[in-house]
Amino acid sequence: MKLSQFKFKLPENLIAQEPSENRDECRLMVLDANNGKIEHRIFKDVIEYFDAGDVMIFNDTKVFPARLFGNKEKTGARIEVFLLRELNIENKFWDVLVEPARKIRIGNKLYFGEDDSMVAEVIDNTTARGRTLRFLYDGPHDEFKEILYSMGETPLPDYIKRKVEEWDAERYQCIFAKNEGAVMAPAAGMHFSRELMKRLEIKGVERGFLTLHSGQGNFKDIDVEDLTKHRMDSEEMFVDETLVDMVNAAKDADKNVCAVGTSVLRAVATAVCMNGHLMTYEGWTNKFIFPPYDFTVCNSMISNFHLPLSTMLMMVAAFGGYDTVMKAYEVAVKEKYHFGAYGDAMLILRR
C-alpha cells in the first residue's frame, strides 16, 4: 500500500471542533465489512449489535494536561512545551517537545507559571523538536506533579483550532480513564456514557480493559510513499491476565470480541500469540498496521472517522478492508459526518 492511497478530500467544516452535547448521542455509521452495507444510527444504538457473552475491550489510559506555556530566561521569549512522559521520578526528568525548537538549547532555563515559580533546565537534545528537561523543584514528587499539571492544559489535537476550554479536561477523556500516561485520548471510548455502560452490563455484554499510552506519534506526518518504510513511535502498553482469560473464553465460544478504538486494536495485535489467542503483555509497541493485515482476535471494532493520510485511517482500512472502508468514508463526507477526536463514530462488523 502507498501513502497516496489514503488521501481524500475532507472539507474543513467536517473536522469536529467540539464534542456532541451528550457522549453517546453522536452519529454512528455501522459498516458490514462482508458486504459493504451501511446503516446510519445514533451511537447509543451500538448496544443493538451486541449480545450476552460478547466482549468489548477498552483502553483505560488517562490523558494528562501535557501542554505548557512559559518563557525563556533572559529573552523572555514565549515557548511551548509539550510533555510526553516522565523519564525519572527522583530527578524529575521529562521527555518533551518544544516550540520554537531552534531557540531552545542545552543549558537554557525555562520558566512556567504566572510568577515563574516552576523552572526547568534543558539537559539534552533528543530529536529536532525533542528535548529532555530537568525540573528544579525541591518538594515531594506528588506536590511537584500537582503544581506542574495545574499549569498545563488539555492536549487537544492541532486540527482543533479553537482555544482550550475548562470542560475539555472532562470531555477529552474516557469516563473509565484510570492509568495516567496518554497525551492523546482514545477517542472511540469517549462516546461511552455511564448510562450506556450500565445498559451494556445489564444486557450481559462483558467489558475488559487494557492500557496503551497513546502518544504524539499518532499525529506525526508520514514522509514516505512506501508504507513499509514508515516507523511508528513506541508506546507503552499493558495487557493483564484478567483480560486475556475473558477474551480467549469469548473467542473459544465464538462470541463477538470488539476493539473500542485503534489503540486497542494495535495493542491486541501486539499481544496476540501464534494460535490466534491473546496473551499477557507488559512493554512497548511500535507496531504499524496497514492493509492487508490478518486480525485473529477481534471481529468488530469501533472507531472515530480519521483524517486523510493518518495511521489510524490505515488501521481501520486494514480491519474493514481498504476498498470497503474508503467507500464508507466517501459516504461519510457526503452525509456530513464529523471527523476527528470530537467527531462521529463507526462500528465495523466482520462476523
Side-chain angles (χ1 to χ4, degrees):
M1 298 296 289
K2 305 295 184 185
L3 175 64
S4 54
Q5 290 176 268
F6 294 92
K7 187 175 183 178
F8 64 93
K9 189 172 182 180
L10 178 63
E12 283 280 323
N13 67 322
L14 294 187
I15 301 175
Q17 300 297 301
E18 296 182 355
S20 57
E21 186 174 348
N22 298 309
R23 284 184 182 269
D24 58 10
E25 291 184 351
C26 72
R27 296 170 72 190
L28 174 70
M29 177 187 286
V30 182
L31 173 64
D32 188 328
N34 300 301
N35 55 25
K37 182 185 174 186
I38 289 173
E39 296 178 74
H40 302 289
R41 307 293 296 267
I42 300 298
F43 190 81
K44 59 187 175 184
D45 297 337
V46 75
I47 192 171
E48 296 177 21
Y49 298 87
F50 294 88
D51 297 311
D54 290 342
V55 173
M56 285 186 168
I57 310 174
F58 298 92
N59 182 3
D60 65 6
T61 187
K62 187 175 183 180
V63 177
F64 63 94
R67 185 173 276 119
L68 299 173
F69 295 95
N71 56 80
K72 187 180 168 188
E73 64 175 335
K74 296 178 183 176
T75 66
R78 180 175 167 83
I79 51 97
E80 177 183 331
V81 170
F82 196 100
L83 303 171
L84 296 177
R85 59 178 171 267
E86 191 169 27
L87 299 173
N88 183 291
I89 291 176
E90 185 178 347
N91 294 309
K92 301 180 180 67
F93 290 170
W94 277 79
D95 184 18
V96 307
L97 299 175
V98 295
E99 193 70 42
R102 68 184 183 280
K103 295 184 178 180
I104 311 298
R105 301 185 175 92
I106 294 174
N108 287 159
K109 283 191 171 65
L110 310 176
Y111 296 86
F112 305 95
E114 292 182 6
D115 56 356
D116 291 344
S117 58
M118 182 68 74
V119 185
E121 182 181 9
V122 181
I123 62 171
D124 194 16
N125 293 338
T126 52
T127 63
R129 291 179 58 216
R131 302 289 186 272
T132 301
L133 298 188
R134 176 175 61 207
F135 284 91
L136 310 177
Y137 189 87
D138 291 333
H141 183 260
D142 288 348
E143 183 180 278
F144 158 70
K145 287 280 285 287
E146 185 178 345
I147 294 172
L148 181 67
Y149 285 1
S150 72
M151 296 175 177
E153 68 177 31
T154 304
L156 295 180
D158 290 342
Y159 57 72
I160 295 179
K161 304 298 184 184
R162 62 170 173 79
K163 183 182 175 184
V164 175
E165 303 288 350
E166 279 187 30
W167 52 261
D168 283 307
E170 179 202 351
R171 289 305 302 270
Y172 194 66
Q173 193 87 269
C174 299
I175 62 170
F176 44 77
K178 184 174 67 172
N179 296 311
E180 179 188 288
V183 297
M184 172 185 164
M190 294 196 299
H191 300 299
F192 286 82
S193 64
R194 285 174 175 79
E195 294 78 12
L196 179 55
M197 295 288 275
K198 189 64 180 177
R199 288 171 61 213
L200 286 163
E201 181 185 337
I202 291 170
K203 192 170 183 179
V205 179
E206 297 188 72
R207 59 173 178 258
F209 298 91
L210 55 76
T211 304
L212 185 142
H213 296 313
S214 303
Q216 277 286 86
N218 292 281
F219 296 124
K220 188 166 69 175
D221 289 340
I222 299 177
D223 54 10
V224 289
E225 175 69 0
D226 180 357
L227 295 182
T228 62
K229 293 185 168 65
H230 178 66
R231 295 291 175 264
M232 291 286 289
D233 290 354
S234 292
E235 295 174 330
E236 194 172 14
M237 58 167 280
F238 306 88
V239 177
D240 65 19
E241 198 168 341
T242 302
L243 179 66
V244 168
D245 291 344
M246 180 188 298
V247 168
N248 289 342
K251 181 176 169 59
D252 290 341
D254 197 30
K255 293 294 185 179
N256 188 357
V257 178
C258 179
V260 180
T262 54
S263 63
V264 170
L265 197 65
R266 187 165 174 233
V268 169
T270 300
V272 69
C273 48
M274 294 296 288
N275 64 1
H277 282 64
L278 196 62
M279 63 181 180
T280 57
Y281 189 97
E282 182 174 341
W284 297 77
T285 180
N286 64 352
K287 184 174 281 293
F288 176 35
I289 298 173
F290 57 92
Y293 192 89
D294 183 24
F295 296 92
T296 58
V297 177
C298 298
N299 40 32
S300 64
M301 81 170 294
I302 297 170
S303 182
N304 277 32
F305 287 95
H306 301 291
L307 273 59
L309 306 176
S310 65
T311 60
M312 289 87 79
L313 169 59
M314 294 166 191
M315 208 180 312
V316 172
F319 188 82
Y322 172 79
D323 291 333
T324 304
V325 167
M326 296 309 287
K327 284 176 184 174
Y329 266 56
E330 286 180 21
V331 173
V333 171
K334 182 181 176 183
E335 296 293 328
K336 294 184 167 47
Y337 276 78
H338 286 114
F339 286 65
Y342 275 155
D344 297 314
M346 170 189 272
L347 167 64
I348 302 178
L349 304 169
R350 301 202 319 171
R351 289 172 64 83

